[in-house]
Amino acid sequence: MARFIFVTGGVVSALGKGIASASLGALLQARGYTVLLRKLEPYINVDPGTMSPFQHGEVFVTDDGAETDLDLGHYERFTGVTTTRFDAVSTGGIYSDVIAKERRGDYLGATVQVIPHITDAIKSAILKNTKDVDFTICEIGGTVGDIEGLPFLEAIRQLRNDLGHRNSLFVHLTLVPYISTAGELKTKPTQHSVKELQSKGIQPDILLCRSDRSIGMEERRKLALFCNIKPECVIEALDVSTTYQVPISYHEQGLDREVCRHFGLESKTAPDLKIWERIAETLTRPEGDVTIGIIGKYVELLDAYKSLHQALIHGGIANKVHVNFEWIDASSLEEGGKASLIERLMPLHGILVPGGFGERGTKGKIAAIQFAREHKIPFFGICLGMQLAVIEALRNIGNFKDANSTEFGATSLPAVALMREWIKGEVVQKYFPGADLGGTMRLGAYECTLNQDSKSYESYQNTVIFERHRHRYEVNTTYLEELEKCGFYIVGKTTDGLLPEIAERKDHPWFVAVQFHPEFKSRPFKPHPLFKSFIEAALNQNRLI
Ligand code: GLN
């Protein structure tokens, strides 16, 4: 029987609804249930693919090639369940479908309205492919009271009637702030937020209250009374030092117990939280540490590198070490010359150049790649990071000064070039310049075959891998021979043999550059092999200083 849990947020944004939903998913799995997590986004964009990372944070890519919200990354990392394009629903997507239907005449002359046409479309998006899972957890983006969110709230209100009280549950995540001048925790913002929700016809069943200190019995009683909720369903969500402690912390507060009770699924046995305990133990009691420098463009907003950040932490978990992060703005490496590079990059145990778009900062990134290569510092290049490593080798070793990517303008030596046509499965995909920007990249999982004589093979222990992509440009195979003369070898290609996927140096302890985004597939309980191996190399390096 499919059961639905709707998670809304109140008072302020950024309370961690994504982590809360993902943690609840993990707790239900620990009780032996299957889960599916889904994000409903009130914004008008069809997907976040065209949004600036400064605005929206990372674009998380699914295996089936959807560009989605970073919360889907939390869902995958906490539950290990692979998300699909159906798990990210936005106002823009819903409206485009409804308008396309209207143009086709599917509504048979009816006036197309928010209720019932938009709300029906939202309801069918929520219900799609949910029959075989025990629980579907649907997170509603934004904060209760946002104008954009209204059709989504109306849709879930209707769904409670359609599904019945016993098959649906409303969780509301709020903030209970401590006001230092009064020396008290304040419940009023939560009361107002619940009132707002009630005015939309939704009575929350469980209140999840974020707070920086324990919420006393008195405040809980008050919240229960004013918000019309059972006192045991007012659940404290205290700040914890790492997000991977959240499932344990929510369990201790009784979240999964109350959720199961609501659905009539009381079980005597406690959930099995061993994997989370082990992760928390490694994170809180590491056996050493390592410092990784990330040379990026969006370093002021760490959400832009969410999965990458987490994958490096997972690499640390696999090696039982704490990872220190140096987020370095690539442009800042463009001035100051060698002395400044030595000062800033030499203390690092590993250097990573992540994915990115546009020319800004690429000079600094190339300088960092050269530094890592020459000083034998473990180097990991991802997507743009791989493309720039190719350019660096051709320019600085091969002496091809014009080597460049056509992304940055016309060049006589297009070492990285725009891909106009490629094959996915059996189907030829085409890029049409000047067409809509959305969804025009090589997106999603592609099969790659590895050479056995490579670091990558050693890490994966497999010759065939599937990794997710999000890019328009490719390493130009015309120059592969020149590249090999520079000591840089393609050790992984798409299985059809056409596109370079991984390049490595043999004259360096660990210099691996990949065209895909391995960070999307790393999990705390199953760290990605390349991140595990990168952190290991950073720990055991042999430096030439
Ligand atoms: N800008 C590059 C491209 O489109 C790299 C993209 C990325 O790093 N995700 O190919």
PDB file of all heavy atoms in Angstrom, residues 49-76:
ATOM      1  N   GLY A  49      18.438  23.823 -14.568  1.00  0.00           N
ATOM      2  CA  GLY A  49      19.575  23.714 -15.484  1.00  0.00           C
ATOM      3  C   GLY A  49      20.084  25.050 -15.992  1.00  0.00           C
ATOM      4  O   GLY A  49      21.274  25.207 -16.252  1.00  0.00           O
ATOM      5  N   THR A  50      19.185  26.010 -16.139  1.00  0.00           N
ATOM      6  CA  THR A  50      19.622  27.300 -16.680  1.00  0.00           C
ATOM      7  C   THR A  50      19.865  28.332 -15.577  1.00  0.00           C
ATOM      8  O   THR A  50      20.169  29.489 -15.869  1.00  0.00           O
ATOM      9  CB  THR A  50      18.556  27.859 -17.644  1.00  0.00           C
ATOM     10  OG1 THR A  50      17.306  27.844 -16.944  1.00  0.00           O
ATOM     11  CG2 THR A  50      18.433  27.032 -18.910  1.00  0.00           C
ATOM     12  N   MET A  51      19.724  27.936 -14.306  1.00  0.00           N
ATOM     13  CA  MET A  51      19.898  28.915 -13.228  1.00  0.00           C
ATOM     14  C   MET A  51      21.363  29.020 -12.829  1.00  0.00           C
ATOM     15  O   MET A  51      22.095  28.025 -12.873  1.00  0.00           O
ATOM     16  CB  MET A  51      19.132  28.458 -11.980  1.00  0.00           C
ATOM     17  CG  MET A  51      17.651  28.584 -12.075  1.00  0.00           C
ATOM     18  SD  MET A  51      17.001  28.287 -10.413  1.00  0.00           S
ATOM     19  CE  MET A  51      15.455  27.557 -10.820  1.00  0.00           C
ATOM     20  N   SER A  52      21.749  30.212 -12.370  1.00  0.00           N
ATOM     21  CA  SER A  52      23.128  30.399 -11.920  1.00  0.00           C
ATOM     22  C   SER A  52      23.339  29.636 -10.615  1.00  0.00           C
ATOM     23  O   SER A  52      22.490  29.675  -9.721  1.00  0.00           O
ATOM     24  CB  SER A  52      23.380  31.881 -11.683  1.00  0.00           C
ATOM     25  OG  SER A  52      24.452  32.033 -10.793  1.00  0.00           O
ATOM     26  N   PRO A  53      24.497  28.995 -10.484  1.00  0.00           N
ATOM     27  CA  PRO A  53      24.786  28.306  -9.219  1.00  0.00           C
ATOM     28  C   PRO A  53      24.773  29.273  -8.038  1.00  0.00           C
ATOM     29  O   PRO A  53      24.495  28.879  -6.909  1.00  0.00           O
ATOM     30  CB  PRO A  53      26.187  27.733  -9.425  1.00  0.00           C
ATOM     31  CG  PRO A  53      26.393  27.711 -10.890  1.00  0.00           C
ATOM     32  CD  PRO A  53      25.564  28.815 -11.465  1.00  0.00           C
ATOM     33  N   PHE A  54      25.057  30.573  -8.286  1.00  0.00           N
ATOM     34  CA  PHE A  54      25.021  31.542  -7.196  1.00  0.00           C
ATOM     35  C   PHE A  54      23.602  31.703  -6.664  1.00  0.00           C
ATOM     36  O   PHE A  54      23.378  32.021  -5.519  1.00  0.00           O
ATOM     37  CB  PHE A  54      25.530  32.912  -7.671  1.00  0.00           C
ATOM     38  CG  PHE A  54      27.013  32.941  -7.868  1.00  0.00           C
ATOM     39  CD1 PHE A  54      27.555  33.205  -9.108  1.00  0.00           C
ATOM     40  CD2 PHE A  54      27.874  32.703  -6.805  1.00  0.00           C
ATOM     41  CE1 PHE A  54      28.930  33.237  -9.291  1.00  0.00           C
ATOM     42  CE2 PHE A  54      29.249  32.731  -6.974  1.00  0.00           C
ATOM     43  CZ  PHE A  54      29.781  32.996  -8.220  1.00  0.00           C
ATOM     44  N   GLN A  55      22.607  31.504  -7.551  1.00  0.00           N
ATOM     45  CA  GLN A  55      21.210  31.664  -7.179  1.00  0.00           C
ATOM     46  C   GLN A  55      20.669  30.415  -6.508  1.00  0.00           C
ATOM     47  O   GLN A  55      19.922  30.474  -5.554  1.00  0.00           O
ATOM     48  CB  GLN A  55      20.376  31.830  -8.465  1.00  0.00           C
ATOM     49  CG  GLN A  55      20.461  33.156  -9.121  1.00  0.00           C
ATOM     50  CD  GLN A  55      19.313  34.010  -8.694  1.00  0.00           C
ATOM     51  OE1 GLN A  55      18.192  33.526  -8.604  1.00  0.00           O
ATOM     52  NE2 GLN A  55      19.588  35.250  -8.390  1.00  0.00           N
ATOM     53  N   HIS A  56      21.044  29.294  -7.079  1.00  0.00           N
ATOM     54  CA  HIS A  56      20.305  28.085  -6.774  1.00  0.00           C
ATOM     55  C   HIS A  56      21.156  26.974  -6.191  1.00  0.00           C
ATOM     56  O   HIS A  56      20.655  25.949  -5.775  1.00  0.00           O
ATOM     57  CB  HIS A  56      19.635  27.616  -8.080  1.00  0.00           C
ATOM     58  CG  HIS A  56      18.733  26.460  -7.891  1.00  0.00           C
ATOM     59  ND1 HIS A  56      19.159  25.160  -8.091  1.00  0.00           N
ATOM     60  CD2 HIS A  56      17.459  26.372  -7.462  1.00  0.00           C
ATOM     61  CE1 HIS A  56      18.158  24.334  -7.822  1.00  0.00           C
ATOM     62  NE2 HIS A  56      17.125  25.050  -7.437  1.00  0.00           N
ATOM     63  N   GLY A  57      22.462  27.185  -6.167  1.00  0.00           N
ATOM     64  CA  GLY A  57      23.339  26.093  -5.727  1.00  0.00           C
ATOM     65  C   GLY A  57      23.531  25.103  -6.858  1.00  0.00           C
ATOM     66  O   GLY A  57      23.266  25.400  -8.024  1.00  0.00           O
ATOM     67  N   GLU A  58      23.990  23.935  -6.482  1.00  0.00           N
ATOM     68  CA  GLU A  58      24.337  22.917  -7.481  1.00  0.00           C
ATOM     69  C   GLU A  58      23.120  22.445  -8.288  1.00  0.00           C
ATOM     70  O   GLU A  58      22.013  22.397  -7.782  1.00  0.00           O
ATOM     71  CB  GLU A  58      24.923  21.740  -6.709  1.00  0.00           C
ATOM     72  CG  GLU A  58      24.787  20.401  -7.352  1.00  0.00           C
ATOM     73  CD  GLU A  58      25.292  19.304  -6.426  1.00  0.00           C
ATOM     74  OE1 GLU A  58      26.493  19.288  -6.148  1.00  0.00           O
ATOM     75  OE2 GLU A  58      24.475  18.485  -5.988  1.00  0.00           O
ATOM     76  N   VAL A  59      23.386  22.095  -9.536  1.00  0.00           N
ATOM     77  CA  VAL A  59      22.371  21.379 -10.311  1.00  0.00           C
ATOM     78  C   VAL A  59      22.716  19.896 -10.185  1.00  0.00           C
ATOM     79  O   VAL A  59      23.797  19.463 -10.580  1.00  0.00           O
ATOM     80  CB  VAL A  59      22.407  21.799 -11.794  1.00  0.00           C
ATOM     81  CG1 VAL A  59      21.479  20.910 -12.618  1.00  0.00           C
ATOM     82  CG2 VAL A  59      22.008  23.257 -11.932  1.00  0.00           C
ATOM     83  N   PHE A  60      21.820  19.143  -9.593  1.00  0.00           N
ATOM     84  CA  PHE A  60      22.073  17.710  -9.407  1.00  0.00           C
ATOM     85  C   PHE A  60      21.537  16.972 -10.630  1.00  0.00           C
ATOM     86  O   PHE A  60      20.411  17.221 -11.067  1.00  0.00           O
ATOM     87  CB  PHE A  60      21.370  17.227  -8.132  1.00  0.00           C
ATOM     88  CG  PHE A  60      21.657  15.799  -7.792  1.00  0.00           C
ATOM     89  CD1 PHE A  60      22.847  15.449  -7.154  1.00  0.00           C
ATOM     90  CD2 PHE A  60      20.763  14.790  -8.127  1.00  0.00           C
ATOM     91  CE1 PHE A  60      23.128  14.123  -6.852  1.00  0.00           C
ATOM     92  CE2 PHE A  60      21.042  13.464  -7.822  1.00  0.00           C
ATOM     93  CZ  PHE A  60      22.227  13.133  -7.188  1.00  0.00           C
ATOM     94  N   VAL A  61      22.366  16.087 -11.187  1.00  0.00           N
ATOM     95  CA  VAL A  61      21.971  15.384 -12.411  1.00  0.00           C
ATOM     96  C   VAL A  61      21.608  13.941 -12.073  1.00  0.00           C
ATOM     97  O   VAL A  61      22.341  13.263 -11.340  1.00  0.00           O
ATOM     98  CB  VAL A  61      23.119  15.408 -13.446  1.00  0.00           C
ATOM     99  CG1 VAL A  61      22.708  14.698 -14.728  1.00  0.00           C
ATOM    100  CG2 VAL A  61      23.513  16.840 -13.752  1.00  0.00           C
ATOM    101  N   THR A  62      20.485  13.481 -12.594  1.00  0.00           N
ATOM    102  CA  THR A  62      20.056  12.102 -12.325  1.00  0.00           C
ATOM    103  C   THR A  62      20.622  11.174 -13.409  1.00  0.00           C
ATOM    104  O   THR A  62      21.062  11.639 -14.465  1.00  0.00           O
ATOM    105  CB  THR A  62      18.518  12.003 -12.342  1.00  0.00           C
ATOM    106  OG1 THR A  62      18.060  12.454 -13.619  1.00  0.00           O
ATOM    107  CG2 THR A  62      17.897  12.869 -11.265  1.00  0.00           C
ATOM    108  N   ASP A  63      20.568   9.868 -13.154  1.00  0.00           N
ATOM    109  CA  ASP A  63      21.023   8.890 -14.150  1.00  0.00           C
ATOM    110  C   ASP A  63      20.305   9.102 -15.477  1.00  0.00           C
ATOM    111  O   ASP A  63      20.909   8.997 -16.543  1.00  0.00           O
ATOM    112  CB  ASP A  63      20.688   7.458 -13.665  1.00  0.00           C
ATOM    113  CG  ASP A  63      21.881   6.817 -12.970  1.00  0.00           C
ATOM    114  OD1 ASP A  63      22.973   7.395 -13.003  1.00  0.00           O
ATOM    115  OD2 ASP A  63      21.703   5.722 -12.395  1.00  0.00           O
ATOM    116  N   ASP A  64      19.003   9.384 -15.415  1.00  0.00           N
ATOM    117  CA  ASP A  64      18.245   9.524 -16.660  1.00  0.00           C
ATOM    118  C   ASP A  64      18.332  10.933 -17.250  1.00  0.00           C
ATOM    119  O   ASP A  64      17.554  11.305 -18.130  1.00  0.00           O
ATOM    120  CB  ASP A  64      16.788   9.057 -16.486  1.00  0.00           C
ATOM    121  CG  ASP A  64      16.002   9.878 -15.488  1.00  0.00           C
ATOM    122  OD1 ASP A  64      16.601  10.734 -14.813  1.00  0.00           O
ATOM    123  OD2 ASP A  64      14.778   9.666 -15.355  1.00  0.00           O
ATOM    124  N   GLY A  65      19.289  11.723 -16.755  1.00  0.00           N
ATOM    125  CA  GLY A  65      19.641  12.966 -17.440  1.00  0.00           C
ATOM    126  C   GLY A  65      18.799  14.184 -17.102  1.00  0.00           C
ATOM    127  O   GLY A  65      18.799  15.146 -17.849  1.00  0.00           O
ATOM    128  N   ALA A  66      18.105  14.166 -15.943  1.00  0.00           N
ATOM    129  CA  ALA A  66      17.360  15.373 -15.571  1.00  0.00           C
ATOM    130  C   ALA A  66      18.281  16.294 -14.778  1.00  0.00           C
ATOM    131  O   ALA A  66      19.128  15.840 -14.003  1.00  0.00           O
ATOM    132  CB  ALA A  66      16.145  15.003 -14.735  1.00  0.00           C
ATOM    133  N   GLU A  67      18.120  17.601 -14.995  1.00  0.00           N
ATOM    134  CA  GLU A  67      18.857  18.588 -14.209  1.00  0.00           C
ATOM    135  C   GLU A  67      17.927  19.008 -13.087  1.00  0.00           C
ATOM    136  O   GLU A  67      16.850  19.553 -13.342  1.00  0.00           O
ATOM    137  CB  GLU A  67      19.227  19.786 -15.086  1.00  0.00           C
ATOM    138  CG  GLU A  67      20.143  19.397 -16.233  1.00  0.00           C
ATOM    139  CD  GLU A  67      20.446  20.571 -17.137  1.00  0.00           C
ATOM    140  OE1 GLU A  67      19.632  20.854 -18.038  1.00  0.00           O
ATOM    141  OE2 GLU A  67      21.485  21.219 -16.935  1.00  0.00           O
ATOM    142  N   THR A  68      18.323  18.729 -11.849  1.00  0.00           N
ATOM    143  CA  THR A  68      17.381  18.894 -10.748  1.00  0.00           C
ATOM    144  C   THR A  68      17.992  19.665  -9.589  1.00  0.00           C
ATOM    145  O   THR A  68      19.166  20.016  -9.596  1.00  0.00           O
ATOM    146  CB  THR A  68      16.916  17.523 -10.206  1.00  0.00           C
ATOM    147  OG1 THR A  68      18.005  16.936  -9.477  1.00  0.00           O
ATOM    148  CG2 THR A  68      16.502  16.578 -11.315  1.00  0.00           C
ATOM    149  N   ASP A  69      17.147  19.834  -8.594  1.00  0.00           N
ATOM    150  CA  ASP A  69      17.497  20.530  -7.381  1.00  0.00           C
ATOM    151  C   ASP A  69      18.499  19.723  -6.546  1.00  0.00           C
ATOM    152  O   ASP A  69      18.467  18.494  -6.566  1.00  0.00           O
ATOM    153  CB  ASP A  69      16.184  20.663  -6.612  1.00  0.00           C
ATOM    154  CG  ASP A  69      16.332  21.543  -5.439  1.00  0.00           C
ATOM    155  OD1 ASP A  69      16.362  22.751  -5.638  1.00  0.00           O
ATOM    156  OD2 ASP A  69      16.438  21.008  -4.320  1.00  0.00           O
ATOM    157  N   LEU A  70      19.319  20.434  -5.780  1.00  0.00           N
ATOM    158  CA  LEU A  70      20.339  19.713  -5.004  1.00  0.00           C
ATOM    159  C   LEU A  70      19.758  18.803  -3.934  1.00  0.00           C
ATOM    160  O   LEU A  70      20.436  17.897  -3.438  1.00  0.00           O
ATOM    161  CB  LEU A  70      21.371  20.676  -4.407  1.00  0.00           C
ATOM    162  CG  LEU A  70      20.957  21.826  -3.507  1.00  0.00           C
ATOM    163  CD1 LEU A  70      20.618  21.349  -2.115  1.00  0.00           C
ATOM    164  CD2 LEU A  70      22.085  22.824  -3.415  1.00  0.00           C
ATOM    165  N   ASP A  71      18.496  19.024  -3.557  1.00  0.00           N
ATOM    166  CA  ASP A  71      17.903  18.139  -2.545  1.00  0.00           C
ATOM    167  C   ASP A  71      17.821  16.693  -3.023  1.00  0.00           C
ATOM    168  O   ASP A  71      17.856  15.763  -2.217  1.00  0.00           O
ATOM    169  CB  ASP A  71      16.519  18.639  -2.125  1.00  0.00           C
ATOM    170  CG  ASP A  71      16.651  19.797  -1.136  1.00  0.00           C
ATOM    171  OD1 ASP A  71      17.486  19.683  -0.219  1.00  0.00           O
ATOM    172  OD2 ASP A  71      15.953  20.801  -1.298  1.00  0.00           O
ATOM    173  N   LEU A  72      17.731  16.493  -4.329  1.00  0.00           N
ATOM    174  CA  LEU A  72      17.723  15.107  -4.822  1.00  0.00           C
ATOM    175  C   LEU A  72      19.048  14.421  -4.496  1.00  0.00           C
ATOM    176  O   LEU A  72      19.105  13.208  -4.301  1.00  0.00           O
ATOM    177  CB  LEU A  72      17.430  15.032  -6.329  1.00  0.00           C
ATOM    178  CG  LEU A  72      15.928  14.928  -6.643  1.00  0.00           C
ATOM    179  CD1 LEU A  72      15.240  16.258  -6.467  1.00  0.00           C
ATOM    180  CD2 LEU A  72      15.687  14.386  -8.034  1.00  0.00           C
ATOM    181  N   GLY A  73      20.098  15.233  -4.397  1.00  0.00           N
ATOM    182  CA  GLY A  73      21.400  14.710  -3.970  1.00  0.00           C
ATOM    183  C   GLY A  73      21.325  14.199  -2.532  1.00  0.00           C
ATOM    184  O   GLY A  73      21.816  13.117  -2.225  1.00  0.00           O
ATOM    185  N   HIS A  74      20.678  14.985  -1.657  1.00  0.00           N
ATOM    186  CA  HIS A  74      20.503  14.512  -0.271  1.00  0.00           C
ATOM    187  C   HIS A  74      19.718  13.203  -0.267  1.00  0.00           C
ATOM    188  O   HIS A  74      20.055  12.285   0.461  1.00  0.00           O
ATOM    189  CB  HIS A  74      19.711  15.517   0.567  1.00  0.00           C
ATOM    190  CG  HIS A  74      20.402  16.832   0.766  1.00  0.00           C
ATOM    191  ND1 HIS A  74      21.710  16.926   1.148  1.00  0.00           N
ATOM    192  CD2 HIS A  74      19.954  18.106   0.644  1.00  0.00           C
ATOM    193  CE1 HIS A  74      22.038  18.205   1.259  1.00  0.00           C
ATOM    194  NE2 HIS A  74      20.992  18.939   0.949  1.00  0.00           N
ATOM    195  N   TYR A  75      18.670  13.137  -1.060  1.00  0.00           N
ATOM    196  CA  TYR A  75      17.836  11.916  -1.061  1.00  0.00           C
ATOM    197  C   TYR A  75      18.689  10.707  -1.434  1.00  0.00           C
ATOM    198  O   TYR A  75      18.615   9.662  -0.795  1.00  0.00           O
ATOM    199  CB  TYR A  75      16.686  12.008  -2.079  1.00  0.00           C
ATOM    200  CG  TYR A  75      15.759  13.190  -1.941  1.00  0.00           C
ATOM    201  CD1 TYR A  75      14.890  13.538  -2.991  1.00  0.00           C
ATOM    202  CD2 TYR A  75      15.712  13.965  -0.789  1.00  0.00           C
ATOM    203  CE1 TYR A  75      14.023  14.619  -2.894  1.00  0.00           C
ATOM    204  CE2 TYR A  75      14.846  15.043  -0.688  1.00  0.00           C
ATOM    205  CZ  TYR A  75      14.016  15.366  -1.748  1.00  0.00           C
ATOM    206  OH  TYR A  75      13.162  16.435  -1.662  1.00  0.00           O
ATOM    207  N   GLU A  76      19.496  10.865  -2.489  1.00  0.00           N
ATOM    208  CA  GLU A  76      20.312   9.724  -2.925  1.00  0.00           C
ATOM    209  C   GLU A  76      21.368   9.377  -1.878  1.00  0.00           C
ATOM    210  O   GLU A  76      21.638   8.207  -1.628  1.00  0.00           O
ATOM    211  CB  GLU A  76      20.977  10.014  -4.277  1.00  0.00           C
ATOM    212  CG  GLU A  76      19.990  10.044  -5.421  1.00  0.00           C
ATOM    213  CD  GLU A  76      20.640   9.739  -6.771  1.00  0.00           C
ATOM    214  OE1 GLU A  76      21.824   9.370  -6.818  1.00  0.00           O
ATOM    215  OE2 GLU A  76      19.938   9.861  -7.793  1.00  0.00           O
TER     216      GLU A  76
END
